[in-house]
Amino acid sequence: MNKPLAEIFPDPPADLNPAAVDAGRIPVHVAVIMDGNGRWAKKRALNRLKGHAAGIEAVRETIRAANDIGVKYLTIYSFSTENWKRPEEEVVGLMDLFAQTMLAEVDELHEEHVRVMTIGRTGALPKKTRDAFDEAWEKTKNNSGMTLVVAINYGGRNEIIDGITAYMRQAHEALAAGGTPEELSEETFGRYLYTADIPDPDLLIRTSGEMRVSNFLLWQIAYTEFYCTEVLWPDFNRYEFLRALLDYQGRDRRFGAVG
């Protein structure tokens, strides 16, 4: 842990005990499907973009809590390949929000030694958004703290297709040079995915009560523990993160073996 539990969770609800956290069983990699911004806004008769803006505080809270408690990788599902189907006004607003937020937050993230990277087909993003994430990467790439992985224009099926394409390219190049292609296995194929060198998630959190993976990290979540909550994303905070963490620590992970 990077901070004492009492400092990370200074004012817990009566039903939560931060001292119950086992410091030796902090998940290395937590992935989050941030769902419910639109429903949060609708309940308040607000524009959907107001819901997305409100969700930024939940992102901040989750990043800080995860980093402070010792999570090494935090992957947040910011924008899927399917999200382009949303109304143009919402998509444009989201892309502007991503750029503004990243530029506003990167200095503090850098001070906390957080490394910021993206996964997905980022070449299709508007230049302003792409440049903001590129700037964040350049500023933080040598940091040794938690890695914040922002999945943007990301789709799990596309990632697998892109991985197969990259592997086949390597195989053709090896054959053309008179060599032997790298033998394909789960381990070697993992190196052709966007998440090469990143361990698979230990815990996947999904908010707003939905029970689906939504094309997120399809290869990587084979043995990931799922935690689903009815809480809408803008209402998710460090104490909801603590609930997910304690739930995770109460499970027996067997990875197909007998317990």
Side-chain angles (χ1 to χ4, degrees):
M1 294 185 189
N2 297 318
K3 292 182 180 179
L5 282 168
E7 187 175 338
I8 303 171
F9 305 108
D11 189 23
D15 65 330
L16 274 178
N17 179 16
V21 172
D22 182 347
R25 296 187 61 211
I26 302 299
V28 174
H29 184 177
V30 176
V32 185
I33 299 176
M34 307 177 294
D35 198 8
N37 290 341
R39 271 166 284 176
W40 184 93
K42 184 177 181 179
K43 287 172 66 174
R44 292 159 176 78
L46 298 172
N47 181 284
R48 285 177 61 85
L49 281 172
K50 295 289 186 181
H52 294 306
I56 295 300
E57 182 56 35
V59 174
R60 290 193 188 101
E61 277 266 297
T62 303
I63 292 171
R64 268 58 185 193
N67 185 43
D68 289 346
I69 208 163
V71 171
K72 299 301 182 185
Y73 297 88
L74 176 68
T75 300
I76 57 175
Y77 202 8
S78 297
F79 191 88
S80 75
T81 49
E82 292 76 24
N83 287 156
W84 295 106
K85 301 172 186 176
R86 294 184 176 186
E88 182 178 1
E89 179 185 6
E90 182 177 353
V91 171
V92 171
L94 275 169
M95 290 299 159
D96 287 343
L97 182 63
F98 293 148
Q100 293 165 10
T101 302
M102 195 72 267
L103 293 174
E105 298 291 327
V106 66
D107 286 343
E108 186 172 347
L109 291 170
H110 185 48
E111 289 177 7
E112 295 290 331
H113 310 293
V114 174
R115 184 174 68 143
V116 181
M117 63 177 290
T118 56
I119 58 172
R121 292 181 173 177
T122 56
L125 298 175
K127 185 177 185 302
K128 178 181 178 181
T129 307
R130 192 170 63 248
D131 287 350
F133 282 110
D134 287 346
E135 181 177 327
W137 166 250
E138 286 300 323
K139 184 160 195 157
T140 66
K141 64 182 179 182
N142 295 319
N143 288 345
S144 57
M146 185 181 77
T147 298
L148 172 64
V149 184
V150 182
I152 184 166
N153 196 26
Y154 173 89
R157 290 180 173 180
N158 281 347
E159 179 180 22
I160 292 170
I161 290 170
D162 289 349
I164 292 170
T165 301
Y167 171 78
M168 291 179 65
R169 185 181 304 116
Q170 173 275 143
H172 285 306
E173 289 174 354
L175 289 169
T180 302
E182 182 178 28
E183 182 179 352
L184 187 60
S185 67
E186 289 186 18
E187 181 181 356
T188 57
F189 183 62
R191 296 201 295 269
Y192 291 91
L193 296 174
Y194 305 153
T195 55
D197 302 320
I198 296 176
D200 292 343
D202 299 293
L203 171 64
L204 172 63
I205 299 170
R206 178 158 193 157
T207 58
S208 85
E210 301 294 347
M211 303 290 286
R212 57 181 180 271
V213 298
S214 297
N215 199 18
F216 185 46
L217 300 177
L218 298 180
W219 178 272
Q220 297 88 342
I221 61 174
Y223 281 100
T224 297
E225 298 291 330
F226 285 23
Y227 176 84
C228 298
T229 174
E230 297 288 336
V231 173
L232 301 177
W233 179 249
D235 295 324
F236 194 88
N237 57 29
R238 64 184 59 236
Y239 300 105
E240 296 301 329
F241 182 80
L242 176 59
R243 290 184 197 280
L245 179 60
L246 290 173
D247 184 88
Y248 166 82
Q249 291 193 339
R251 302 185 190 183
D252 179 19
R253 303 187 74 200
R254 296 187 298 274
F255 300 95
V258 176

